[in-house]
Amino acid sequence: MSAAKSTSLGRIIFFLGVGITICLPLANVSAAVLSEEQIATLRAKLTRAEADRGSLSDRLACFGRYVAEQQARSAEQQSALASVLQRRDTLATEITQGEVRQRGFENLVDAERSNVESKRQDYERARSEQNEQAERLRICRAVLFLFPWVCNEGEAFVRAAGWMRNAEADFHAEAERLRNAEHGLHEAHDQLARNRSSLSQAQEEAEANRRSVQDIEGGISRAQAASAVINAKMQNYDLLIGSVEETLKDAHAVDPEDARLRRVNTLSRELDAFSSGIADFVAKTEDGMPEDVKQRCSR
């Protein structure tokens, strides 16, 4: 081998040796993996995330029970509303009939009052004629005191005719019919007033039931909307937790230059963000929910 070739080969070997010598420390750096402390920190964050996820799951189940309870209440209120609406319609019909009945009694009372006045006048005329007859009888007896039988026969004839008694009986009978008509009018008026009052109460009750149904249905809608948001959040949690668990399986083999290390760092930041934002998330999600439901579902 020539001297020149020997010199060139030596240089190549020299440079290769230097390269190997220089690269060895880098290989040692590359071989570094996640420390036990880093793994423990990540596991602690994972545990917290799982607890948050469990809390959301419990809250979601509580909202589900609340929705079921409210749906049962809504069904009861709707049934009550249907009942009171039926009662309202019945009362409205009875009021219409009662108004007709009251007008009928009013007309009857007016007619009976006219009849009573007519019978009263007949009775007054009969009494006047009776008084006149008594006066004529007195005069007759004074003049014809020697023939009293003549006057007595006249009195007997008047009594036998019975016109005075008939007029009086007709007057009292008509007065009784008037009292009956007035009593019927009074009852019709009172019944109509009671039905109108009951109708007003039924309308108020129906309106209250309608508002109650609306409030309950509104609460159900808010709870279902909150449940949908929580459910989506839990799915995000599941994805994140699954990714962290998968990463931790080979945490000791994560190379600093490996993309998985960047993924670990990203997951760590995401876990921090999830945990630090859970309180605000819950507050915003439950906005508008009844306080008793918030307290019950936060236990």
Side-chain angles (χ1 to χ4, degrees), residues 21-280:
T21 303
I22 293 172
C23 291
L24 284 175
L26 294 177
N28 290 335
V29 173
S30 300
V33 295
L34 291 178
S35 67
E36 293 297 332
E37 182 180 356
Q38 289 173 311
I39 294 174
T41 299
L42 191 59
R43 289 191 183 279
K45 292 180 179 182
L46 177 61
T47 299
R48 181 179 176 185
E50 290 174 336
D52 291 338
R53 197 270 184 200
S55 176
L56 289 179
S57 179
D58 292 342
R59 194 177 300 271
L60 184 62
C62 183
F63 281 176
R65 292 190 294 272
Y66 169 73
V67 167
E69 292 170 2
Q70 294 304 99
Q71 287 174 336
R73 281 190 59 206
S74 179
E76 292 176 357
Q77 288 296 321
Q78 289 179 16
S79 176
L81 176 59
S83 178
V84 74
L85 289 177
Q86 182 178 6
R87 179 157 53 91
R88 182 200 63 183
D89 293 342
T90 300
L91 287 168
T93 300
E94 291 179 355
I95 286 174
T96 300
Q97 296 173 345
E99 289 172 343
V100 173
R101 185 167 179 262
Q102 179 174 273
R103 285 195 296 271
F105 273 110
E106 288 173 349
N107 294 333
L108 179 61
V109 167
D110 290 341
E112 294 297 344
R113 283 175 179 168
S114 178
N115 292 337
V116 166
E117 179 59 23
S118 175
K119 296 300 181 181
R120 185 190 65 77
Q121 292 177 1
D122 291 344
Y123 178 49
E124 290 297 327
R125 283 196 297 271
R127 290 183 60 185
S128 177
E129 291 177 5
Q130 183 185 39
N131 292 336
E132 292 175 359
Q133 180 62 26
E135 179 62 19
R136 286 194 294 272
L137 182 59
R138 185 188 67 77
I139 295 173
C140 177
R141 286 174 176 170
V143 174
L144 302 175
F145 61 91
L146 295 177
F147 309 99
W149 57 269
V150 175
C151 299
N152 292 339
E153 287 182 358
E155 181 181 11
F157 175 77
V158 171
R159 288 182 178 178
W163 52 269
M164 174 60 190
R165 293 191 302 275
N166 292 340
E168 183 177 9
D170 290 345
F171 170 69
H172 289 306
E174 194 60 45
E176 181 64 20
R177 284 192 289 271
L178 174 60
R179 283 191 293 271
N180 291 337
E182 289 175 337
H183 179 71
L185 175 59
H186 180 73
E187 286 188 339
H189 179 272
D190 287 351
Q191 184 61 51
L192 186 58
R194 287 193 295 270
N195 286 345
R196 283 172 174 165
S197 177
S198 297
L199 177 61
S200 178
Q201 293 175 358
Q203 289 172 334
E204 292 177 359
E205 185 177 345
E207 184 60 28
N209 284 345
R210 188 177 289 107
R211 288 195 300 269
S212 178
V213 169
Q214 291 174 348
D215 291 343
I216 292 172
E217 290 297 324
I220 291 173
S221 297
R222 287 191 293 273
Q224 289 175 332
S227 297
V229 174
I230 291 175
N231 188 58
K233 187 76 167 180
M234 287 173 57
Q235 291 178 1
N236 292 337
Y237 259 109
D238 290 339
L239 292 174
L240 177 59
I241 290 172
S243 297
V244 175
E245 289 175 340
E246 185 66 25
T247 300
L248 285 173
K249 287 180 181 178
D250 54 356
H252 292 286
V254 175
D255 192 301
E257 296 300 325
D258 194 326
R260 286 180 298 174
L261 179 61
R262 294 192 295 273
R263 179 59 176 160
V264 168
N265 293 332
T266 299
L267 290 174
S268 179
R269 288 192 297 271
E270 289 180 0
L271 287 172
D272 289 338
F274 267 78
S275 297
S276 63
I278 191 67
D280 288 339

